[in-house]
Amino acid sequence: MAVPADMTTRNLSGKFHMSKELSDDSDEILRLQGVGWFTRKAIRMATLYLTVKHFKDESGVEHIDIDQVLSGGVGSSNEHRILDWEERPHEDSVFGAVLSKSRRVPLSDVEHEWLKKDWLDESFDDGAIIYTCAKSDTAKSGRTWFTSQTWGFELVNGEKRYTRHIHFEGPKDEIIEIRLVYDYGE
């Protein structure tokens, strides 16, 4: 289901679920991140639900807090993105120890072409898109990978959808680029 016509990345608050039919396959990324076969198969069968709370704190800094739940009791996790470009550690139930940082940037500051493609104007706030980076905390996890993402809206099959473009770099310099597409509402 399309997002409301007036929705912008100034406020992503709402409920979403990932569209398996419209999203690219993420299994190889999960494998390279060290996610086991059984867990990957369970994730593939489950539906990912997001509850997003987007706000600015008393200092005017943007926060995007996301509660993620996989159907069927597969698991849940939280993403707390503070758009200030400060690297923060996170212990993720699927990916293990992760370091991440987030901010808004103009597309000219985004390195990979895949992350710049197909965005609607509603994806930008004062000319800047949501840009996040995450990497394995190799010292804690024993794994090495890096991902950069842009978040926004694009037309998918003629409908305005919330999407994420992902550029992934694996432990042996593998490069995988995918798009995740989300339906709005439950």
Side-chain angles (χ1 to χ4, degrees):
M1 179 176 170
V3 299
D6 61 349
M7 188 174 223
T8 72
T9 62
R10 288 191 174 137
N11 186 357
L12 289 172
S13 295
K15 294 182 183 269
F16 302 86
H17 63 273
M18 192 171 82
S19 170
K20 292 180 197 176
E21 296 80 26
L22 298 174
S23 294
D24 296 330
D25 187 3
S26 62
D27 188 68
E28 183 62 8
I29 290 176
L30 295 170
R31 186 186 73 76
L32 291 169
Q33 288 175 308
V35 178
W37 180 87
F38 183 78
T39 301
R40 292 195 326 270
K41 297 310 168 204
I43 289 170
R44 183 178 289 222
M45 294 176 65
T47 299
L48 176 63
Y49 293 91
L50 308 178
T51 301
V52 179
K53 181 180 176 190
H54 190 166
F55 63 97
K56 288 187 178 181
D57 65 21
E58 59 279 348
S59 300
V61 177
E62 259 184 294
H63 293 246
I64 304 174
D65 292 349
I66 305 171
D67 293 329
Q68 301 179 105
V69 176
L70 283 165
S71 65
V74 175
S76 64
S77 65
N78 299 310
E79 277 186 80
H80 297 286
R81 303 288 185 158
I82 303 172
L83 279 62
D84 63 0
W85 206 235
E86 183 176 319
E87 190 171 77
R88 292 179 172 80
H90 173 71
E91 188 65 37
D92 189 276
S93 59
V94 174
F95 308 116
V98 176
L99 300 169
S100 64
K101 56 187 178 179
S102 305
R103 66 178 172 174
R104 287 189 183 267
V105 297
L107 283 183
S108 59
D109 289 358
V110 175
E111 180 181 354
H112 305 291
E113 285 303 313
W114 167 245
L115 301 177
K116 300 178 184 184
K117 291 183 175 187
D118 301 324
W119 297 113
L120 295 174
D121 290 342
E122 298 93 300
S123 302
F124 302 91
D125 185 6
D126 294 326
I129 197 161
I130 297 169
Y131 178 70
T132 73
C133 292
K135 63 183 178 181
S136 55
D137 188 343
T138 305
K140 291 182 180 178
S141 70
R143 306 198 187 296
T144 302
W145 53 264
F146 176 83
T147 183
S148 51
Q149 301 181 23
T150 46
W151 299 0
F153 301 101
E154 63 185 291
L155 287 180
V156 179
N157 295 339
E159 295 183 316
K160 179 180 168 183
R161 300 288 185 130
Y162 170 56
T163 66
R164 295 182 183 189
H165 287 204
I166 299 171
H167 175 89
F168 176 85
E169 298 174 22
K172 295 182 181 171
D173 298 323
E174 302 92 342
I175 302 293
I176 301 172
E177 294 179 325
I178 66 170
R179 176 180 72 174
L180 300 179
V181 179
Y182 295 87
D183 289 322
Y184 184 75
E186 294 193 71

